[in-house]
Amino acid sequence: MEIATAPSVVDLEKQYLLQNYARYPVVLHRGKGCYVYDTAGKRYLDLLAGIGVNALGHAHPRITKVIREQAGRLIHSSNLYYHEYTGPLAERISLASQLPRIFFCNSGTEANEAALKMAKAHGRKISPEKFEIVSLENSFHGRTIGALSVTGQESYRRDFEPLVPGVRFVPRNDLAALEQAVGDRTAGIILELVQGEGGIYPLTAAFVRKARELADRYDAILIFDEIQCGVGRTGKFFAYEWIGVQPDIMCVAKGIGGGFPLGACLATAEAAKGMTVGTHGSTYGGNPLGMAVGNAAIDLVLSPGFLEHVQAIGNYLRQQLAGLIAEHPSVFEELRGQGLMLGLKMRVPNTEFVAGARQHGLLIVGAGENVVRLLPPLIVDEEQVREAIALLSAAATDFETEKKTVAA
Ligand code: PLP
């Protein structure tokens, strides 16, 4: 529903909310599978999935059932007690990742905070001088002060400087710059294997291998931030599986909860050594509701054929998008990404294109450097891909027609 027809909801937010979001003029009401519906009943094909969160689509019957049942049983119990769901979920994530120590939280940025603390605790055991973190330019790791301090984008950092000291940024895929930045003072190296917010830029295998080699050489912790690219999004359960380089710590969130707020920081036993009783915690982290949902979500993502589907449908989408780019070369420049984490570099302003696509009933989201991101639910099918291509094509045609009008 557009603003004019929903004044109360929008006006209330304008009056009472921190004005930190630029919301689109749509009031969403419900979702089913790969579609969402606004309060006026308009249907949208959802190719952004709550920014990569709704990996299993909306209102997945299994997720909905688990939430209903668990909500009626025990939502929260605190980390003072055990409950039935954390252990089994930790075991499954650990077996899938080969990382045996897990901390559960509620969001991506919290997972990264835990990772940074672990890296610093590890460094401190060796020397008080070993506290530096090496990160990448154009990276995004979250909005809390620690995660923001390792986020390599000026626009997010500017208003909050000075941030946590001792962070060095290097350009992605620049092996020489990485080699120069990492040294005895390095406690950790943090990498998004595919930069998401920055504009869908995958790291090269050579760069990731070099990071592993340097981390080993200088006894630093290698952290993979798989908050956006993990949990099946690239067609493997974790994106690092494509490269075959094992991290010391990995952060996941978004898809791991199938839409429910859930994050996790996974570590080797060695990397986790510094985190003893009382060094870290979260009131809500690992709550019974979140853990029950996490078990169901991981069941589904690891069910036979699921990841094969992501790979196949990702290839189909790529192939269809290549055709779209060829048909509209004045609107699209190139396609990047892997699996169902794709970015279209635009020749027209991405924000305007996102708005145009929405008018046609397609939800997508922008990213850095004038990119439009496609992060569909992992259950998207071929028919929905074809529908998406038709909607993207219609939005592109609007731009071409407008340009023609202007030129005439
Ligand atoms: N790291 C990456 C790679 C992300 O894409 C995001 C969110 O987009 C975050 C961290 C922060 O996650 P959250 O917004 O759940 O705190």
Side-chain angles (χ1 to χ4, degrees):
M1 184 182 284
E2 300 287 325
I3 282 181
T5 53
S8 58
V9 177
V10 174
D11 289 349
L12 283 170
E13 288 209 7
K14 285 218 163 109
Q15 189 171 350
Y16 293 109
L17 277 196
L18 203 66
Q19 293 299 298
N20 59 325
Y21 296 117
R23 293 204 206 285
Y24 302 131
V26 174
V27 181
L28 293 178
H29 178 58
R30 70 186 177 91
K32 185 77 195 145
C34 293
Y35 295 94
V36 287
Y37 300 80
D38 68 16
T39 43
K42 179 172 173 177
R43 188 178 89 154
Y44 300 85
L45 178 57
D46 183 7
L47 253 59
L48 87 96
I51 319 191
V53 168
N54 301 100
L56 302 163
H58 299 275
H60 190 287
R62 172 93 187 271
I63 299 291
T64 308
K65 183 169 182 281
V66 169
I67 291 177
R68 278 212 182 99
E69 289 178 359
Q70 190 56 38
R73 207 178 287 136
L74 190 68
I75 292 178
H76 178 78
S77 56
S78 90
N79 282 304
L80 297 173
Y81 303 97
Y82 295 95
H83 62 73
E84 296 148 78
Y85 308 104
T86 303
L89 180 58
E91 180 183 37
R92 297 161 85 191
I93 296 180
S94 169
L95 291 175
S97 64
Q98 303 302 310
L99 294 167
R101 291 275 163 221
I102 303 187
F103 171 76
F104 286 111
C105 52
N106 315 283
S107 65
T109 202
E110 283 174 83
N112 280 336
E113 292 294 330
L116 293 170
K117 279 179 75 173
M118 268 195 247
K120 283 187 183 269
H122 167 84
R124 218 186 144 70
K125 269 192 298 162
I126 299 165
S127 151
E129 302 294 306
K130 194 173 178 63
F131 60 84
E132 288 186 359
I133 304 290
V134 174
S135 181
L136 299 189
E137 291 172 9
N138 200 44
S139 58
F140 183 82
H141 296 291
R143 311 274 195 160
T144 48
I145 291 289
L148 187 59
S149 299
V150 296
T151 287
Q153 294 188 57
E154 194 45 34
S155 58
Y156 292 110
R157 306 166 56 90
R158 204 172 27 227
D159 295 336
F160 309 101
E161 302 273 8
L163 290 161
V164 178
V167 183
R168 291 171 184 257
F169 293 101
V170 300
R172 74 175 164 268
N173 297 332
D174 185 334
L175 276 70
L178 185 66
E179 184 130 28
Q180 260 199 338
V182 179
D184 287 328
R185 293 164 67 95
T186 309
I189 305 171
I190 184 164
L191 305 175
E192 282 168 274
L193 294 191
V194 183
Q195 289 187 338
E197 299 290 317
I200 311 291
Y201 289 101
L203 298 188
T204 61
F207 185 78
V208 179
R209 275 191 218 109
K210 174 58 84 179
R212 178 69 275 170
E213 180 196 316
L214 291 169
D216 290 342
R217 191 189 305 163
Y218 292 104
D219 198 357
I221 299 283
L222 181 61
I223 305 164
F224 290 167
D225 175 347
E226 291 225 15
I227 287 160
Q228 193 164 144
C229 65
V231 195
R233 179 124 319 262
T234 66
K236 297 266 189 200
F237 191 55
F238 297 116
Y240 78 80
E241 292 171 42
W242 289 110
I243 296 176
V245 172
Q246 189 76 15
D248 301 301
I249 294 181
M250 181 166 56
C251 296
V252 293
K254 294 194 185 271
I256 194 83
F260 193 84
L262 184 56
C265 178
L266 336 174
T268 60
E270 180 60 28
K273 258 189 186 157
M275 305 309 270
T276 51
V277 171
T279 50
H280 198 54
S282 159
T283 297
Y284 292 116
N287 63 79
L289 183 54
M291 296 295 97
V293 179
N295 273 296
I298 203 169
D299 255 358
L300 293 163
V301 176
L302 291 179
S303 64
F306 189 94
L307 293 172
E308 288 76 6
H309 165 77
V310 177
Q311 288 180 26
I313 200 75
N315 288 338
Y316 184 64
L317 178 55
R318 283 188 81 94
Q319 177 200 328
Q320 296 290 308
L321 286 169
L324 180 81
I325 295 173
E327 269 178 38
H328 303 279
S330 63
V331 176
F332 306 109
E333 192 178 321
E334 67 162 344
L335 174 65
R336 292 197 290 262
Q338 204 173 10
L340 289 176
M341 184 172 183
L342 298 173
L344 284 164
K345 171 86 174 159
M346 305 300 292
R347 292 194 198 276
V348 299
N350 61 349
T351 47
E352 287 177 33
F353 188 83
V354 167
R358 192 176 61 245
Q359 303 288 333
H360 285 281
L362 177 71
L363 301 188
I364 47 182
V365 61
E369 305 193 347
N370 206 31
V371 163
V372 162
R373 245 181 314 173
L374 308 181
L375 302 169
L378 305 182
I379 57 166
V380 69
D381 65 22
E382 286 198 1
E383 201 180 320
Q384 288 155 348
V385 165
R386 285 192 291 274
E387 186 185 348
I389 296 296
L391 296 171
L392 287 166
S393 183
T397 305
D398 291 345
F399 275 89
E400 290 161 342
T401 320
E402 265 171 44
K403 219 168 89 186
K404 269 186 215 138
T405 314
V406 173

